[in-house]
Amino acid sequence: MAYDTAILFRDDSYLKEIDATVLAINERGGILTDQTVFYATSGGQPGDTGVFVRSDGSTIGIAATVTGESKEEIIHVPASDQTLPAIGEKLTLRLDWDRRYKLMRMHTACHLLSVVCPFPITGAAVSEDDSRVDFDLPDAGVTKESVTQKMMELVNANHPIFTRWITDDELAANPGLIKSKNVRPPTGTGRIRLVCIGENASVDSQPCGGTHVATTGEVGAIHIGKIEKKGKENRRFRIRFGPLPEGV
Ligand SMILES: [Zn+2]
């Protein structure tokens, strides 16, 4: 059975908590609610953690958030030994916002890297303090210093970041929007979410379902920690927070 959950982070990635009603508990103890601000693991971005607050003030720790049979089905996975809520119970869903905000900054940094290095992407993984993007790129031909400098120019320009929805047909007419070599955006639902950077998307636009900050300036200081060779045709770029360490 499919559950209809309103997915609020798609339109507002800054919502930190929301009241919701429990729709179901699945066979593994995962909690489904009528609406959520918890992002579910997808597209290289890990799912959210946090707590569900019950009416008596007690909390249920949420250790992970994953998708179910479709990306519309969001399952909140409690930490071990948590008391499960009742179906129909009203809860306040509260994110671990410090962690999520770092993930939003890191995820956005991955978009900036893909602007600076416009090569086909073969993989990506976002984490709180280190992210990686793999490119189909036989010879990097760039240094971590030069890539860091170009990414920081985009950060310092403080470009706006916004989303807009396009149809499957619009995407088919603009195949250049897709930067990932292996992962195709889900089509068939009739609409695709584009993440745009810059006035009128002048810097970049690409299909993405993740959470991002509202301006490139919010990414803050970042640098390329390493460019690694991964096989003959792949280069792995690692993004870290903070300025590029000097003399390394
Ligand atoms: Zn994204």
Side-chain angles (χ1 to χ4, degrees):
M1 159 169 188
Y3 294 95
D4 191 14
T5 300
I7 299 175
L8 303 181
F9 57 77
R10 280 186 186 156
D11 292 319
D12 185 356
S13 60
Y14 288 81
L15 285 174
K16 301 171 185 66
E17 69 173 54
I18 192 83
D19 292 336
T21 303
V22 177
L23 292 181
I25 310 285
N26 73 12
E27 65 281 2
R28 293 174 167 185
I31 303 167
L32 291 96
T33 52
D34 63 339
Q35 55 180 0
T36 190
V37 294
F38 280 60
Y39 180 78
T41 301
S42 179
Q45 181 179 335
D48 284 322
T49 58
V51 291
F52 288 1
V53 185
R54 308 180 82 175
S55 58
D56 66 0
S58 65
T59 58
I60 301 163
I62 302 299
T65 308
V66 296
T67 50
E69 286 177 21
S70 77
K71 292 213 170 189
E72 307 302 306
E73 192 168 299
I74 297 202
I75 300 166
H76 310 89
V77 182
S80 53
D81 302 327
Q82 303 293 296
T83 305
L84 292 176
I87 291 168
E89 186 171 334
K90 293 195 186 327
L91 302 166
T92 299
L93 282 50
R94 183 179 298 155
L95 288 183
D96 177 345
W97 174 250
D98 287 347
R99 175 176 179 274
R100 155 71 94 72
Y101 188 60
K102 281 185 196 158
L103 292 172
M104 283 164 55
R105 290 171 58 207
M106 264 299 181
H107 183 131
T108 306
C110 292
H111 284 248
L112 300 183
L113 175 58
S114 78
V115 172
V116 170
C117 295
F119 310 109
I121 294 171
T122 57
V126 177
S127 82
E128 276 173 88
D129 40 30
D130 182 286
S131 294
R132 65 169 174 82
V133 180
D134 296 340
F135 293 98
D136 181 353
L137 183 61
D139 179 9
V142 291
T143 61
K144 58 186 185 181
E145 289 80 10
S146 66
V147 175
T148 296
Q149 188 196 339
K150 286 181 186 160
M151 289 173 74
M152 284 311 299
E153 283 169 13
L154 292 170
V155 170
N156 293 329
N158 204 23
H159 295 293
I161 300 171
F162 59 96
T163 58
R164 75 183 181 91
W165 294 87
I166 60 170
T167 63
D168 288 351
D169 290 345
E170 284 175 275
L171 183 69
N174 295 281
L177 288 171
I178 301 169
K179 297 192 173 175
S180 176
K181 196 178 171 187
N182 303 333
V183 185
R184 295 276 163 229
T187 55
T189 56
R191 61 178 208 155
I192 291 140
R193 183 177 186 252
L194 278 190
V195 173
C196 306
I197 304 177
E199 296 291 343
N200 301 312
S202 58
V203 175
D204 189 46
S205 60
Q206 58 179 292
C208 184
T211 60
H212 312 82
V213 290
T215 64
T216 58
E218 277 191 53
V219 172
I222 45 167
H223 67 277
I224 299 298
K226 247 186 210 170
I227 302 174
E228 298 166 280
K229 189 171 177 177
K230 287 280 163 191
K232 207 162 58 176
E233 301 193 335
N234 273 280
R235 291 294 178 281
R236 172 169 292 177
F237 288 59
R238 290 194 176 276
I239 306 170
R240 291 178 187 146
F241 285 128
L244 188 68
E246 281 181 44
V248 180

